[in-house]
């Protein structure tokens, strides 16, 4: 990787939008990533970092010395600082604050009174604000002062003298209006408002469904805290769905593609350990039937089929439930109808596949008895799997545990134990001499 | 569910945004859903349908007679018709077309020349268009003619006399400008353009990263086909990530929470059948070692642990790869670095957990030899799982098969077969007298 190549790469990188630049940096191995990042202009360095995943961003921060961090901090505005606060070494926090002007420091203080998952914490402070007694000409001046690369700034926010939010006005409503008219008369009464204490995911959903390009985020006292734009809403929706997907494998959405081997291994070890416990539970269940297995070795050969069919059927129900819960589609009333439907599906598929498996087993081991036993065990396991697939995520959701993360481990434990127990139990009952 | 309750529910439903209304209808069991939907105003009926998932929408269409369908079709504009075309019985297609005006029919014909996954097919035709020689006052009139509930309409699109796209102009740029000035001079040269043949997912990514609220969709000849707004882009991003999640369980993102039992069972049966094949392959592998299992029954008890650890480790690598491929982060160069990193992680975790499992096995069965055998089998299986976790999705991606859908089945087959083979094979070598 010589200097020429690096320069060519840098030229291409600087042409990208910030979110694309961040993605491109994340897709490089650590050393190359750091070299490219160091070659960027200070302004691009900050915007790349704010758009990167936490882990990827941390892997850059760790490589910087205090002098580099200071230079970086000098480029940060209040929103950058809020986004990067976690990764910034605490000793630099005061320095970073001292570089902000008074109004930005005030925004920072207010934002920090909110939790990390609340809209008030991540409200964007780069917004057009006008006083209630302003006129159309002031609004026009404000819109004309926007930089060329302003994003989703088609709306200005109106406050009263005490900083309380009074409404939003979109640029298109002001077109062709007399410049002396009060801005107040163009406020859009329909525009909803995001409560600063609202969960960031819910706030993002609200913005994305509202049809507005940005909504005001407002404190309990009615003060304007900032805005939540459709661009940020989209990033949050993306992050939240990506995390649902990553959680199914016990991973975090912040996981860096090129995390250092040791760190990555340490994190994943936890997930493997949890799964090992469930595997031992399954093994222990099998261990209960050692005598049976010794006598009828066909049971040992066939037993993974029972566990696997239950696991697959259950995970289908589980996945449907997780989506339904995330979309807030599962209510007390619909829940029973859903359970009934899933049991119906399980009974039909259980019946179908248990017959198929019983027939194959007969041809393989020449015993209708073993075929019948595996068939019954499979029906039992698939139906239990469907019931658990509905109950487990609901129960986890009530306990405020993410069903996408823990649902499948618990479900697999149940389907393994039930599957082995039903199959080997029936085998012991009917096959032991 | 009496009439009073229905009316109350309907009052609440009509207050929702179209996408929320669609979600609310989807979360009702079929009969209730149909009753609610029938109670809506014709206009809301259409907008609910266009926002619903395909399966949920189909389950309503199936219940309607020709008279109801005709009334429905009369409410449809060109974009509704394009969205609902698949579900509409073909005999009503001509009637639907005859209800459109000439310009809408023209849009429809052009849209239908594009494939179902292309931007040209789903370009929104509800957009502000102005001729190149128009002046600022024409633009102002156009913006002022927008209905109250217009969404993401802060931009107008300029075409020349032949319908070729010339650029977009945002409302805020026109504020305070002389009404006689030519509109052409306010065109935003930076705004990118979406090629009509571009994949819808890629087009949506483009809009979402551009910072614009809408981009023009343009044909190969440069003709304006419509627009792709940030609202639609967000819905597409949501759909594409949701489908990635649903695919991990062999489900479709269009899956209806309350699909009729028989239809749902039929679909899921396919997935269970595919998994049964892999389960039988695993069973067949075990069957090769019947003699060994008969002699050392501990192997039968422990073998699911080997398969399970490989499966879990592999699915972590697989999930990381699927995300990386979806974000287009995996290139020829980074691929080797990634493989090396994943093998490193696997070797570390393999070593750690094989020692833990070996020690537990010793205490359980009192044999260091069995402990050593399971340890070695686990290291082998976890490393093979990591290699396959990198190779399989990449290989599927090259074949244009969705790795989120088929990756885990193939991977589990490998980890099952390798796990059983390594463990029982080593057992046969060292434990048989």
């Amino acid at each position: 990787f010589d200097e020429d190549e690096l320069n060519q790469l840098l030229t291409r990188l600087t042409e990208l939008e910030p979110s694309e630049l961040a993605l491109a940096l994340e897709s490089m191995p650590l050393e190359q990533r750091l070299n490219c990042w160091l070659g960027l202009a200070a302004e691009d360095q900050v915007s790349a970092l704010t758009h990167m995943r936490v882990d990827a961003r941390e892997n850059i921060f760790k490589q910087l010395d205090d002098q580099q961090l200071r230079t970086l901090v000098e480029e940060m505005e209040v929103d950058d600082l809020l986004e990067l606060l976690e990764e910034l070494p605490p000793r630099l926090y005061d320095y970073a604050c001292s570089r902000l002007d008074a109004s930005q420091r005030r925004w920072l203080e207010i934002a920090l009174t909110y939790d990390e998952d609340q809209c008030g914490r991540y409200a964007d402070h780069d917004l057009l604000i006008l006083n209630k007694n302003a006129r159309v000409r002031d609004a026009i001046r404000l819109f004309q002062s926007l930089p060329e690369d302003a994003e989703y700034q088609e709306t200005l926010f109106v406050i009263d003298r005490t900083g309380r939010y009074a409404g939003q006005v979109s640029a298109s409503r002001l077109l062709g209006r007399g410049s002396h008219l009060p801005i107040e008369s163009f406020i859009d009464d329909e525009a909803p408002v995001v409560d600063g204490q609202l969960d960031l995911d819910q706030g993002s959903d609200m913005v994305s469904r509202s049809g507005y390009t940005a909504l005001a985020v407002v404190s309990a006292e009615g003060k304007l805290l900032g805005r939540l734009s459709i661009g940020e809403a989209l990033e949050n929706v993306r992050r939240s769905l990506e995390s649902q997907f990553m959680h199914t494998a016990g991973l975090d959405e912040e996981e860096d593609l090129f995390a250092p081997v040791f760190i990555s291994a340490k994190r994943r070890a936890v997930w493997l350990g949890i799964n090992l416990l469930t595997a031992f539970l399954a093994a222990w269940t099998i261990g209960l039937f050692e005598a049976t297995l010794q006598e009828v070795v066909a049971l040992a050969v066939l037993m993974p089929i029972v566990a696997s069919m239950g696991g697959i059927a259950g995970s289908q129900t589980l996945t449907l439930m997780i989506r339904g819960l995330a979309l807030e589609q599962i209510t007390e009333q619909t829940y029973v109808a859903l359970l009934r439907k899933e049991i119906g599906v399980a009974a039909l598929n259980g019946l179908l596949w248990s017959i198929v498996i019983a027939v194959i087993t007969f041809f393989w081991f020449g015993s209708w008895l073993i075929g019948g036993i595996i068939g019954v065990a499979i029906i039992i396991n698939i139906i239990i799997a469907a019931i658990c697939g509905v109950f487990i995520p609901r129960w986890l959701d009530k306990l405020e545990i993410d069903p996408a993360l823990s649902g499948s481990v618990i479900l697999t434990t149940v389907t393994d134990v039930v599957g082995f127990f039903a199959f080997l139990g029936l085998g012991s009952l009917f096959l032991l001499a």
Side-chain angles (χ1 to χ4, degrees), chain A:
Chain A
F1 208 70
D2 62 28
E3 207 160 320
D4 263 13
E5 279 177 310
L6 183 65
N7 283 332
Q8 270 179 19
L9 192 55
L10 280 172
T11 318
R12 263 191 293 129
L13 287 178
T14 46
E15 282 163 12
L16 300 174
E17 296 286 332
S19 57
E20 292 170 324
L21 172 60
L23 263 184
L25 287 170
E26 284 175 9
S27 62
M28 297 175 189
L30 296 184
E31 202 188 336
Q32 187 186 348
R33 183 190 299 168
L34 184 66
N35 282 333
C36 274
W37 182 83
L38 286 170
L40 295 171
E43 194 190 324
D44 292 338
Q45 287 185 335
V46 173
S47 87
L49 285 177
T50 56
H51 285 84
M52 275 162 95
R53 281 161 226 282
V54 172
D55 283 9
R57 159 203 302 177
E58 242 176 27
N59 288 328
I60 286 185
F61 265 99
K62 270 189 283 186
Q63 305 294 320
L64 304 179
D65 60 32
D66 263 29
Q67 189 45 51
Q68 286 172 311
L69 284 170
R70 272 168 180 271
T71 323
L72 190 66
V73 151
E74 284 161 19
E75 279 298 320
M76 290 188 193
E77 305 205 357
V78 56
D79 290 324
D80 306 321
L81 192 56
L82 277 166
E83 178 70 38
L84 300 173
L85 206 56
E86 291 273 302
E87 286 75 52
L88 198 70
R91 62 180 182 281
L92 280 157
Y93 175 70
D94 286 337
Y95 180 65
C97 287
S98 73
R99 305 283 311 180
L100 299 176
D101 62 33
S103 79
Q104 291 212 324
R105 217 172 304 147
R106 183 86 193 102
W107 284 127
L108 182 72
E109 278 163 21
I110 297 172
L112 289 177
T113 63
Y114 288 89
D115 286 347
E116 291 211 12
D117 55 355
Q118 291 182 327
C119 292
R121 175 71 163 252
Y122 290 112
D124 185 355
H125 300 104
D126 182 16
L127 75 173
L128 303 176
I129 301 178
L130 215 54
N131 214 293
K132 217 170 160 179
N133 52 25
R135 301 190 176 267
V136 168
R137 60 172 161 264
D138 304 308
I140 292 177
R141 217 171 296 131
L142 207 56
F143 277 114
Q144 284 176 343
S145 71
L146 278 174
E148 279 283 311
D149 59 351
E151 292 189 353
Y152 312 116
Q153 295 276 27
E154 292 82 5
T155 308
L156 62 81
F157 297 88
V158 183
I159 53 173
D160 68 12
R161 268 181 312 170
T162 63
R164 293 169 66 93
Y165 174 69
Q168 62 164 271
V169 176
S170 84
S172 58
R173 282 211 188 194
L174 298 176
L175 280 172
R177 306 297 181 175
S179 64
H180 59 284
L181 292 171
I183 194 71
E184 216 183 334
S185 49
F186 298 102
I187 283 178
D188 182 346
D189 297 321
E190 303 282 312
V193 163
V194 178
D195 182 344
Q197 289 177 316
L198 195 68
D199 181 83
L200 191 59
D201 282 349
Q202 288 178 294
S204 302
D205 265 353
M206 202 170 148
V207 173
S208 78
R209 300 202 192 287
S210 72
Y212 287 84
T213 47
L215 295 181
V217 182
V218 167
S219 75
E221 299 80 37
K223 294 252 164 84
L224 179 63
L225 298 171
R227 64 170 189 146
L228 189 56
S229 77
I230 181 87
E232 288 146 49
L234 193 141
E235 277 317 304
N236 292 332
V237 166
R238 204 195 281 273
R239 191 178 306 136
S240 133
L241 283 166
E242 199 183 287
S243 98
Q244 202 180 55
F245 174 69
M246 298 296 277
H247 281 178
T248 58
L251 295 170
D252 200 280
E253 82 277 17
E254 301 292 355
E255 179 89 17
D256 186 347
L257 201 55
F258 292 101
V261 170
F262 190 74
I263 291 177
S264 192
K266 206 169 74 179
R267 279 209 200 142
R268 295 201 209 162
V270 179
W271 191 244
L272 284 165
I274 294 171
N275 276 280
L276 183 61
L277 282 179
T278 86
F280 265 113
L281 207 61
W284 172 79
T285 314
I286 301 171
L288 298 177
F289 302 97
E290 272 191 49
T292 316
L293 286 170
Q294 202 140 24
E295 209 153 317
V296 196
V297 79
L299 295 181
V301 175
L302 293 168
M303 64 187 189
I305 297 176
V306 182
S308 151
M309 291 300 273
I312 296 292
S315 77
Q316 294 196 309
T317 305
L318 179 74
T319 303
L320 204 63
M321 277 292 293
I322 292 173
R323 184 187 66 173
L325 286 166
L327 297 174
E328 297 180 4
Q329 288 190 306
I330 317 266
T331 65
E332 215 46 66
Q333 298 135 20
T334 56
Y335 174 59
V336 181
L338 194 62
L339 185 63
R340 209 177 302 136
K341 174 210 147 199
E342 287 298 318
I343 293 176
V345 173
L348 274 180
N349 269 323
L351 200 65
L352 169 69
W353 291 111
S354 64
I355 292 172
V356 171
I357 293 166
V359 171
I360 296 176
T361 301
F362 168 71
F363 282 108
W364 190 352
F365 293 97
S367 155
W368 275 120
L369 193 51
I370 299 183
I373 288 171
I374 196 170
V376 172
I378 280 185
I379 293 189
I380 293 175
N381 205 21
I382 288 185
I383 291 179
I384 297 280
I387 296 173
C388 291
V390 174
F391 271 107
I392 291 171
R394 191 174 151 79
W395 167 69
L396 289 171
D397 192 61
K398 281 196 174 162
L399 297 175
E400 296 190 20
I401 300 172
D402 177 10
L405 184 61
S406 9
S408 71
V409 192
I410 302 177
L411 183 79
T412 316
T413 311
V414 174
T415 52
D416 277 2
V417 169
V418 169
F420 291 136
F421 198 88
F423 183 49
L424 300 179
L426 288 170
S428 305
L429 273 180
F430 293 102
L431 293 173
L432 282 195

